Amino acid sequence: VTVRFIAEPANRVQLLSGGDVDLATEIPANDVEQLADTEGVVIDSRASNKILFFAMNNEIAPFDDPLVRQAISYAIPYEQLVDDVMEGQASPLTSSVPSSMAGFDDSTYAYEHDLDRARELLAQAGYPDGFTFDFTLGGGFQDWSDDAVLIQAELAQIGVTMNIQNMARPQFLEALDTRQVQAYISRWTSFVNDPQYHLGLLMTTDTSSNYMNYSNPEVDALWQQASQETDESVREDLYAQMQALITADAPWAYLYEYNIVVGLSEGTEGYTSYPDGIVRFAQLSVEE
């Protein structure tokens, strides 16, 4: 197996369409339709547990106020992100847990695109004229950049100025680790497709990947209780309670769940999509 790391999406698409590779991952959404019509190319697009979210630092004003975070969540043009940016290669994210994960519950989700509701919440929080904040955009993913521009335009309509600061991916990851980034977009794939792993890494206090400083003692207690619970139905109820609390606290605005999109040369057999997005080469075969 020869693995090539091609950073530029256009180059990956060119190699696949030219028959120079048997399999290509991270196919951009805006290239899927063209590739699907390319002779000798097969597109495999499936739902996944890879999610994208707009994170707000819960310890940096004004995002230390849940009303402000809720207002931002109402201002985001969710359908536009899925339809125009991802061109249907994603689906709405409606909870902190992806829909393909056991224990998913979005019964308390309420954040439809509603600028009037966003303005009301800002006024309640003491920001009737809006505010200005810094948004750090990590490089490497075209959809993040497109999403940021659309979100910036919508926030301007409620008086919120979003200053986009571009940062190369290595520096972006280092910045996240300081937990001082005011707001950012990031994606996440849970290699273990279970809420205990997923929420434990992202939503409990002081955990390794909680870069937005979210902390709710009740969420922590429910997560700890679930870690010792052997009854699956009880565990799922505990996770549902956690998701309801997190949705109300709005440490993230939920953006979307990615499809895993892989391009294959005709004659490449045995590919299967897994939640972690990792290709199992041992299952593949290529016709000579």
Side-chain angles (χ1 to χ4, degrees):
V1 177
T2 301
V3 178
R4 300 172 63 183
F5 293 91
I6 309 295
E8 198 60 42
N11 292 341
R12 293 197 298 274
V13 170
Q14 185 177 8
L15 288 168
L16 179 65
S17 59
D20 297 308
V21 296
D22 298 304
L23 182 151
T25 62
E26 295 286 349
I27 300 297
N30 58 6
D31 288 310
V32 170
E33 185 175 350
Q34 174 193 338
L35 284 171
D37 291 335
T38 300
E39 186 176 354
V41 174
V42 177
I43 291 294
D44 189 299
S45 177
R46 311 186 196 192
S48 76
N49 70 9
K50 182 190 295 182
I51 62 174
L52 188 75
F53 53 86
F54 184 104
M56 295 162 276
N57 197 315
N58 291 207
E59 290 186 355
I60 299 178
F63 299 126
D64 54 348
D65 186 338
L67 290 176
V68 171
R69 301 194 299 266
Q70 291 169 13
I72 298 300
S73 295
Y74 276 108
I76 289 177
Y78 300 103
E79 289 187 11
Q80 199 173 3
L81 302 187
V82 171
D83 295 340
D84 295 349
V85 175
M86 292 304 296
E87 300 190 22
Q89 298 299 319
S91 56
L93 175 66
T94 54
S95 180
S96 52
V97 168
S99 61
S100 60
M101 188 174 287
F104 163 78
D105 187 286
D106 67 349
S107 58
T108 62
Y109 180 76
Y111 301 113
E112 304 296 337
H113 183 221
D114 187 340
L115 294 181
D116 289 337
R117 179 61 177 146
R119 293 186 187 98
E120 290 174 7
L121 289 165
L122 284 182
Q124 290 177 37
Y127 296 95
D129 300 319
F131 58 88
T132 298
F133 73 98
D134 292 331
F135 171 86
T136 302
L137 176 61
F141 304 105
Q142 184 61 46
D143 64 302
W144 295 17
S145 179
D146 295 341
D147 292 338
V149 171
L150 290 174
I151 292 169
Q152 181 186 52
E154 288 302 297
L155 294 184
Q157 295 193 56
I158 60 171
V160 174
T161 300
M162 173 174 147
N163 293 326
I164 299 176
Q165 300 177 340
N166 291 280
M167 190 175 287
R169 185 157 180 79
Q171 287 70 44
F172 172 69
L173 295 175
E174 290 176 4
L176 289 189
D177 203 39
T178 69
R179 306 192 181 212
Q180 296 301 309
V181 176
Q182 189 174 16
Y184 60 93
I185 282 175
S186 190
R187 68 181 189 178
W188 179 269
T189 302
S190 277
F191 291 163
V192 179
N193 197 34
D194 184 85
Q196 190 69 22
Y197 174 92
H198 179 83
L199 294 173
L201 283 173
L202 294 169
M203 291 295 181
T204 55
T205 304
D206 296 327
T207 191
S208 61
S209 300
N210 182 356
Y211 302 122
M212 67 285 179
N213 295 308
Y214 174 62
S215 180
N216 183 324
E218 193 172 352
V219 169
D220 293 344
L222 288 166
W223 182 82
Q224 189 62 41
Q225 184 180 348
S227 71
Q228 302 171 33
E229 179 57 59
T230 58
D231 187 310
E232 184 176 353
S233 63
V234 175
R235 287 179 73 230
E236 291 196 354
D237 179 64
L238 295 171
Y239 294 138
Q241 293 178 55
M242 290 177 68
Q243 289 167 80
L245 290 167
I246 293 165
T247 294
D249 289 338
W252 297 342
Y254 307 140
L255 300 185
Y256 45 78
E257 302 178 357
Y258 288 92
N259 283 11
I260 292 180
V261 183
V262 169
L264 304 160
S265 290
E266 211 164 31
T268 303
E269 303 291 341
Y271 171 75
T272 300
S273 176
Y274 289 87
D276 57 22
I278 296 173
V279 177
R280 272 56 168 182
F281 294 111
Q283 297 176 350
L284 297 178
S285 63
V286 179
E287 287 183 4
E288 296 296 337

